[in-house]
Amino acid sequence: MSNQVPSEFIDLASKLADAAGEIIRPLYRKKIEIVSKDDLSPVTIADQNAEMAMRKIIEAHYPEHGIYGEEHGQVRTDAEYVWVLDPIDGTHSFISGAPTFATLIGLTRNGKPVMGVIDQPISGERWVGANGETTFNGTKIQTNADITDVQTASLFSYGIELFKSVKGPQYQKLTETVRRIRFGYDSYAYALLSQGFVDIVADADMKPFDYCALVPVVENAGGQISDWDGNPLTLTNPGYVLATGNSALHEATLDVLKS
């Protein structure tokens, strides 16, 4: 079965990103209420309203499609096509005034991510991955194919919480192997990887709305993304995520994590 994404779906994804951005931008670096969810992660009216705006557009255009959102739940997730939405990935960054958060819009077909959008509404940066290519603001981009040795690679991760995770010892070994490390970039790190500026991104506790948009952006730019055991990421296997700029580096990084 072909996973070619119809152009009208790609166009709709851009409309979703535009709609979310119109809500998010006026609230950026403003004093707004911050609420803690059950898992103690923060949420704001910007998250909630941006997702609701995107959901309304999807329902108006494709009521038969499923929706899997971070803030307003799931509907029709057994549908052939499911839109996976994270209105503000990196809410900690957003409420801190740091422009490293992003709106994530993924589309899965039979559970497999086939299209992804990473949109930074403050800087006006948009990465779109589908149908064999990833673009940055309309220009085709590629990952770095030259870095294949973990010892010469850069590693980006969400935060130092990874050291305390179940796979903390494996992550510790990876940090001791790479050339340099940076923390706190959220999904923005995956966008930079797709442009060849970052070599490895490793994260934990990722949900489908955290990674479904990232998969097509990374893969269509020439990179590789999986869980830490090398398994493909689908709508139903959240957890540890590893992205690299090329397949050789991916295998080498998996070897470090498994050793």
Side-chain angles (χ1 to χ4, degrees), residues 13-93:
S14 289
K15 292 178 182 177
L16 299 180
D18 289 343
E22 288 177 3
I23 291 170
I24 293 168
R25 280 189 294 273
L27 298 173
Y28 180 61
R29 292 182 179 171
K30 303 296 183 184
K31 296 296 183 180
I32 58 178
E33 183 180 6
I34 302 167
V35 177
S36 292
K37 295 188 285 190
D38 291 343
D39 63 359
L40 301 183
S41 62
V43 63
T44 70
I45 191 171
D47 301 77
Q48 295 170 334
N49 288 358
E51 182 176 317
M52 186 57 67
M54 291 191 287
R55 295 175 80 104
K56 288 180 178 178
I57 293 171
I58 295 168
E59 292 285 7
H61 285 80
Y62 299 104
E64 73 278 11
H65 287 188
I67 303 175
Y68 190 134
E70 178 177 17
E71 308 304 340
H72 298 293
Q74 308 169 29
V75 293
R76 301 181 297 275
T77 53
D78 58 346
E80 178 181 5
Y81 288 102
V82 177
W83 295 85
V84 188
L85 310 174
D86 191 345
I88 299 180
D89 178 76
T91 300
H92 283 288
S93 296

Side-chain angles (χ1 to χ4, degrees), residues 1 104 115 145 212:
M1 180 183 294
L104 300 182
M115 178 185 66
C212 277

